[in-house]
Amino acid sequence: MKLSSPALFLCFQHSLKLAGVAAISAPCGQGADIAFNQTEKLFVTSGTDTHAFQADVSRLLHLMVHSIYSDRDIFLRELISNAADACEKLRYESLSNPGLVRDDAASVIRIEIDKPAKTLTITDNGIGMTRDDLILALGTIANSGTRAFLERLGQDSPKEDREADGGNGQSGTLIGQFGIGFYSAFMVAEKVDVETRRAGSDEAWLWSSHGKGAYSIAPLDADRAPARGTRVILHLNAESQDYLESWRLQTIIKEHSGAVAVPVELKDAPDQDPRKITEGAALWTKPRSEIDEAAYTEFYRGLAGQFDEPAMTVHWRAEGRYEYTVLAFVPGSRPMDLFEPERKGRAKLYVRSVLISADSDLLPGWLRFFRLVVDSADLPLNVSREMIQQSPVFTAIRKAIINRLLQELGRKAESDPDSFAKIWENFGAVIKEGLYEDFERREQLLKIARFTTSKHSGGDRSLTDYVKDLRPNQTAIYYLTGENSKSLASSPQLEGFRTRGIEVLLLADPVDAFWVQSVNEFDGKPLKSVTQGSADIKLVPVAEGQDTPSSDAPSAEVATLLAFIKQTLGEVVEDVRPSDRLSSSAACLVAGDKALDRRLEQILAQAGRAGSISKPVLEINPTHALVARLAEKLASGGDKALIEDSAWLLHDEARLMDGEKLADAAAFSARLTRVLQAAAG
Ligand code: ADP
Ligand code: MG
C-alpha cells in the first residue's frame, strides 16, 4: 500500500472530525437571517449602495456582539494590526512603484479621541482599499479556518456562554488567528465608518455599517478623503465610552501593540497635537541584550495572534555566507489551525525590513507550529515573492534555519526537560510527521522524541533512555499503537512483556501508526510492534517477583482445543495459536507476520482507505485456567455448542480489548446469555 502523504491525510481526518463535532452542536440560523449573495445590492440611493454581509459574517458579528468577549480591549490591537499590515503592504508595492508614496514616506498610525462626538478614529497612511477591496475584505470571510472557528464559537448558545464562563471565552484569545479581527470593532461601536483611498487612486470610498446584516458603500468627497490610506471611525456604543479616556488607550496600546513595526501616535482631542506612544522599530533588529522578556512576549502575541506566553524564544543573527536575522517562537498552546489540511506555518519573511510574505514557505509542515520572523539583506528585493522563494539563497537560508530550530529543540530537551515536555505534549504529534517526511533529520528527531511507555506514564521517556535500560537478551524496541495510552497500558498484549520486565512504547497519536512503518531502527535496535507476528521474547529472563511461565509445549488436549476454535471461527481469523505474550488474560488478537499493524489498518479502514483488511491471528494463553477447562471439556466429549459459544466469546472479548466494535452485537449477546445460563444452571 502506498501512502503518498500521511501527514496531509491525518490533518484532513482531524478537520473532518472537528467539523463533525461542531455540526452537531452548533445552533443554526443565529444571525444568519440574511442570506443574500454579498454582491447583491439591496438599495441604491444617491450613489450609496447597500449590501448584505455574507451569511458567515452576519453570524460572526452576532456572536461577537452578543456573547463572546470579556476582553473587549482587543479590538484596538486588531485595528492597529490591520493598519500596520496596510503600511507594510504599501512599502512592498512601492518597491516596484515608488510613485505610490510620493512625499509622505514615513508610515504612521494615529489614534484620535473625539469626546464630544463620542468617536475613536484609527488612521493609517498605508495601502488603502478600492471599492472591490472593501466588499471583499469587509463583507466576506476569506480564511478557510474561520468556519471551524465560527462553529466552535457557536457551540454554546450566547446566553449559556456568558453564564458558564463569565464571558471569558477562550475565543478572545483566538480571534487574531482567523482573519476576522476587523469585525471586533463592533464589540465597542454601534456604527463603524471606514474612509479609505487606495494609494495612487483618484477615487475614495466610505464604507459604513451598524454591524447588523448589511453595510453601505458610497463615494467619498475629495475634501474629506485621506490622501492615501484608511480611517476607521468607531462610533462608540453606550457601554464603551471608557475608550475615550486617553490614559486607558495609552495603556492598551503599550500593552498590546508595543511591538508593532509602525509607530503609533495618540491625539487626545481634536485640537491637540498627537504624541508618540510606541517607537515602531522592528524588534528583531535590536540586539538581544536590549530586549526584555516582556517585549518578546508582546511581540510574540502580535505575531501569533495568541494571548499566551511563548514556550520557547529563539533569536539569532547569522553572519556567515548569508546574513539574516531570525526571531522564532514556540507557542505556549496549540494554535487553532494546527491540524488544518494546508499544514501551513506562520513565517513572516522580510527583506531589509520590507515584508515580502506573511506566510512564506520557510518551514516544513512538521515545524509549522513555530511562529517566526526572518529578515535578510541577501535576498533579492526587486523580484516577485514566488521568485524569491525559488532563489538558491532562500533554499540555503531555509535549510540553515530548520537545522538551527531543530538543534534548539534538542538543546531545550536536554537542558530543560520540564518545559520541553510541555512543548512535546502540544506539538509532538506534529514533529513526528518529520519522522517519515524528512529522512535526513530522522536520527535527530528520534533523539528528541518523547514517549509514554509501559514503565513511564509521563510522556517524557526518550529512546536513548529506553535503550540504556534494555533487558538482558532484549534485541528490539517494542511498541504498541492504539487510541489512547491509558487503554494501551492495560492491553493484554503487554502481559508477557511485563512478566519479563520489557518496556513497551505506548503510541496513541494517529501519526504513530504511520511513522513506525518507515522507521526501522534506533541505535541499531529494530522497532517491533508487540501485536505483530509471534513475540520472540522467551530469551529475556523473567523479571523479579513475576511467575515463570511454563515453557512446555501445550498439551495434546489444548492443541485439540485450538484446532477446534480455529475451525469454529473459520474465515474470521488467519490462525489460532498458543501465545507467549499472555499471562493473566485468556486470549488476544495480533496481526499476522506479514500484515500491516492493526492500528494502522483501523485508521485506514475508518477513512475508507484500506484495500482489504487482513485477518488477525487469535492467540490463546495455554496456561489459563479457562483454557485448560475448555480443553478438558472438549476431550471428554462435553457440550460442543457451549465450547463453540466460548470460542466466539474469547474472540469478541479480544476485539473489545483492542478498542474495536463487535462485528455482530446481537450474536454476541445471545452467546453470552447462553454461556451465563449454563454457568448458572
Ligand atoms: P486579517 O487582518 O487577518 O486579514 P481582518 O478582519 O483584520 O483580517 O481584516 C480583513 C481585511 O480587511 C484585511 O486583510 C485587509 O485586506 C482589509 N483591511 C482591514 N483594515 C485595513 C486597513 N486599515 N487598510 C487596508 N486594508 C484593511
Ligand atoms: Mg487583522
Side-chain angles (χ1 to χ4, degrees), residues 78 82-83 85-86 89 124 127-129 137-138 179-183 230:
E78 294 302 324
N82 286 350
D85 289 350
K89 280 182 201 159
D124 66 69
I127 191 75
M129 284 177 272
L138 306 187
I180 49 179
F182 172 78
Y183 302 111
T230 303

Side-chain angles (χ1 to χ4, degrees), residues 56-104:
D56 275 348
V57 176
S58 286
R59 234 181 105 207
L60 175 72
L61 283 170
H62 184 89
L63 284 164
M64 191 134 357
V65 175
H66 289 94
S67 64
I68 50 183
Y69 295 108
S70 56
D71 189 6
R72 287 174 309 149
D73 291 1
I74 62 145
F75 79 92
L76 196 56
R77 172 191 80 185
E78 294 302 324
L79 296 181
I80 290 176
S81 138
N82 286 350
D85 289 350
C87 293
E88 297 205 301
K89 280 182 201 159
L90 177 68
R91 287 177 70 179
Y92 178 73
E93 282 203 13
S94 65
L95 291 175
S96 53
N97 186 357
L100 289 182
V101 294
R102 302 216 187 108
D103 47 355
D104 175 23

Side-chain angles (χ1 to χ4, degrees), residues 514-573:
F514 291 89
W515 69 260
V516 294
Q517 302 296 312
S518 61
V519 173
N520 298 323
E521 53 145 62
F522 174 78
D523 200 5
K525 308 284 177 295
L527 264 75
K528 277 196 170 175
S529 166
V530 305
T531 68
Q532 200 163 18
S534 44
D536 45 2
I537 51 175
K538 278 200 186 131
L539 293 177
V540 179
V542 170
E544 228 172 280
Q546 298 278 351
D547 296 337
T548 307
S550 132
S551 55
D552 308 341
S555 66
E557 282 178 0
V558 168
T560 314
L561 174 69
L562 296 191
F564 179 84
I565 295 177
K566 181 164 184 201
Q567 195 192 351
T568 306
L569 299 179
E571 289 301 297
V572 172
V573 291

Side-chain angles (χ1 to χ4, degrees), residues 24 26 61 124 208 223 245 262 276 306 308 409 578 600 643:
I24 293 165
L61 283 170
D124 66 69
S208 187
D223 55 332
E245 301 302 334
V262 178
K276 202 170 249 185
Q306 294 196 191
D308 51 5
L409 283 172
L600 181 58
I643 304 173

Side-chain angles (χ1 to χ4, degrees), residues 7 142 170 303 441 444 509 551 602 642 654:
Q170 195 202 359
L303 180 67
R441 298 186 177 87
Q444 246 178 310
D509 287 321
S551 55
Q602 283 168 16
L642 193 66

